[in-house]
Amino acid sequence: MWQRRAFLKAAGVGFAASLMPRQLVALERNELVFASSVQTSSGGYGAVLLGERGDLIAQIALPDRGHDITISPEAGRGVVFARQPGTFALVFDPAGREAPVTLTSIEGRHFFGHGVFSPDGRLLYATESDFEAAKGVIGIYDATDDYKRVGEFPTYGTGPHEMLLMPDGVTFVIANGGIETHPDYGRAELNLDTMDPSVAFVDRRDGHLVGQLRLDAGLHQLSIRHMAIDARSRVWFGCQYRGAPSDSPQLVGYATADGEIRLIELPLDTLRDLRNYVGSVAVSADGTSVAVSSPEGDLLVAIDAEGGRPVLVETLRNGCGLAADGAGFVATSGMGEMIGLAGAERDRQKFDFAFDNHVLRVG
């Protein structure tokens, strides 16, 4: 039951004691716990903690649509980031002992839906946009001082989306999607002809650029968005193509801190069914398999990380969220479904809320 113990560590001391009897039974029935932003049946927004059996363990309300979630066992807090170009991030206590705290982006910035804690839980980092300058930044928040914003450093690109902390605990890898947006124009994409996506490796201690990788210039409209790190510390990424719909470029690849970047060759029928859109990327618990999703194509693909070849293709209507689940993955959908993929044996579960684009395995 190490997974449940890991969750309780992440949630903080006293989490189990804070639960109502029904919720405590739900926690005790489940080895794995997952977190996701959701849209409720009444049209509101929230975030939930779910057991692997589908039991609802806890939930919080959000002021608007959330995107990704990060949780720090050291800080004893979780954070839900607003979907871009949102201006809020909600800090919550998984144990429910303290009321959630809403962070508001500073003037001239908005959130991009993703972020991470430092290994010691003392700092929170979030991908943000300096939208007047059309440049990406990482906002830095002091978790020991009411999440006061204490600085920022550049992402060395435009439109940063997901960021991850490399296994060394020092280096961030950032997916610069390359797309300029501005709150005055909603989610309109303003620079499709001059996009410049990249994968940037940045030292979190002082923000200096360790390395930056780009695909061929002819693929400049291939926006790099989501990532996961495999057992060999390769950064797998998924892309969303903003060129002609009739084009069908490869969408999945990996990058390394020592300077390699490449796209793998997915079969043409799989590539066609992804419909030029990868919405989430995950790596299995043992780091040997990669999964990607396309809510546009209703498709989930599991890939052997060593050989770079698909080992399973499955359909899930509006499926996007992916997380490691035992031997395989769990996948969630905007239709409120959760299923197992690539070795994760589970019944298809249906909920009375719609999952947003990401699901996090807690702990």
Side-chain angles (χ1 to χ4, degrees):
M1 300 301 179
W2 68 267
Q3 297 98 333
R4 182 162 58 240
R5 291 200 299 271
F7 165 71
L8 289 172
K9 178 183 177 183
V13 176
F15 176 79
S18 73
L19 297 176
M20 299 294 289
R22 178 182 58 80
Q23 295 170 306
L24 184 58
V25 169
L27 179 61
E28 291 176 343
R29 274 171 31 92
N30 293 271
E31 292 186 35
L32 301 179
V33 178
F34 299 95
S36 180
S37 296
V38 299
Q39 183 173 20
T40 66
S41 57
S42 62
Y45 296 98
V48 299
L49 293 176
L50 292 174
E52 61 173 329
R53 298 173 181 265
D55 299 301
L56 179 63
I57 296 170
Q59 64 186 96
I60 57 171
L62 297 177
D64 207 331
R65 181 175 174 180
H67 193 63
D68 201 9
I69 299 174
T70 187
I71 293 180
S72 168
E74 288 73 23
R77 293 293 184 271
V79 181
V80 187
F81 297 96
R83 179 181 187 242
Q84 74 171 84
T87 57
F88 78 89
L90 190 81
V91 181
F92 66 94
D93 176 4
R97 295 163 301 200
E98 298 182 17
V101 175
T102 301
L103 308 181
T104 302
S105 57
I106 64 171
E107 185 176 354
R109 306 286 186 271
H110 69 68
F111 293 112
F112 265 111
H114 292 270
V116 298
F117 278 94
S118 60
D120 62 8
R122 296 177 63 86
L123 294 173
L124 172 70
Y125 303 86
T127 51
E128 300 178 8
S129 177
D130 175 356
F131 48 81
E132 297 297 350
K135 294 181 179 179
V137 299
I138 300 298
I140 308 170
Y141 299 82
D142 186 349
T144 70
D145 189 14
D146 296 325
Y147 290 85
K148 179 187 299 182
R149 196 178 194 276
V150 294
E152 66 181 32
F153 52 74
T155 69
Y156 303 93
T158 299
H161 201 64
E162 189 159 22
M163 64 181 299
L164 302 173
L165 184 62
M166 295 292 288
D168 63 9
V170 170
T171 309
F172 287 136
V173 59
I174 302 163
N176 285 309
I179 298 175
E180 179 185 354
T181 58
H182 193 289
D184 289 350
Y185 302 96
R187 291 175 59 85
E189 298 169 337
L190 307 176
N191 68 330
L192 296 186
D193 291 338
T194 58
M195 287 172 56
D196 182 24
S198 68
V199 175
F201 294 89
V202 177
D203 191 309
R204 73 173 183 87
R205 295 168 297 188
D206 59 11
H208 83 264
L209 182 65
V210 176
Q212 189 166 25
L213 302 172
R214 291 176 171 85
L215 297 167
D216 292 343
L219 296 172
H220 76 97
Q221 291 182 309
L222 201 56
S223 180
I224 301 171
R225 310 283 279 197
H226 296 105
M227 305 176 296
I229 301 170
D230 73 9
R232 294 171 53 187
S233 294
R234 295 181 300 180
V235 180
W236 286 80
F237 57 84
C239 303
Q240 298 170 14
Y241 186 58
R242 293 299 193 264
S246 58
D247 295 342
S248 190
Q250 294 292 335
L251 299 173
V252 179
Y254 63 80
T256 67
D258 59 6
E260 181 183 9
I261 186 169
R262 65 179 294 261
L263 295 168
I264 65 169
E265 294 291 324
L266 294 175
L268 293 181
D269 56 344
T270 301
L271 199 60
R272 179 197 64 233
D273 292 342
L274 288 171
R275 295 183 61 182
N276 282 334
Y277 192 102
V278 171
S280 188
V281 182
V283 166
S284 60
D286 63 6
T288 64
S289 298
V290 180
V292 300
S293 64
S294 172
E296 299 291 322
D298 302 328
L299 200 70
L300 309 171
V301 183
I303 300 166
D304 170 41
E306 187 62 33
R309 57 181 178 79
V311 294
L312 182 69
V313 177
E314 187 164 337
T315 58
L316 178 63
R317 187 181 174 193
N318 200 18
C320 194
L322 291 167
D325 179 8
F329 302 90
V330 62
T332 57
S333 83
M335 308 305 293
E337 291 186 294
M338 175 185 285
I339 68 168
L341 178 70
E345 298 297 331
R346 62 166 60 243
D347 294 330
R348 184 178 292 251
Q349 299 161 327
K350 186 73 170 68
F351 300 90
D352 62 353
F353 47 74
F355 291 96
D356 208 88
N357 290 25
H358 300 290
V359 60
L360 169 72
R361 172 174 160 172
V362 183

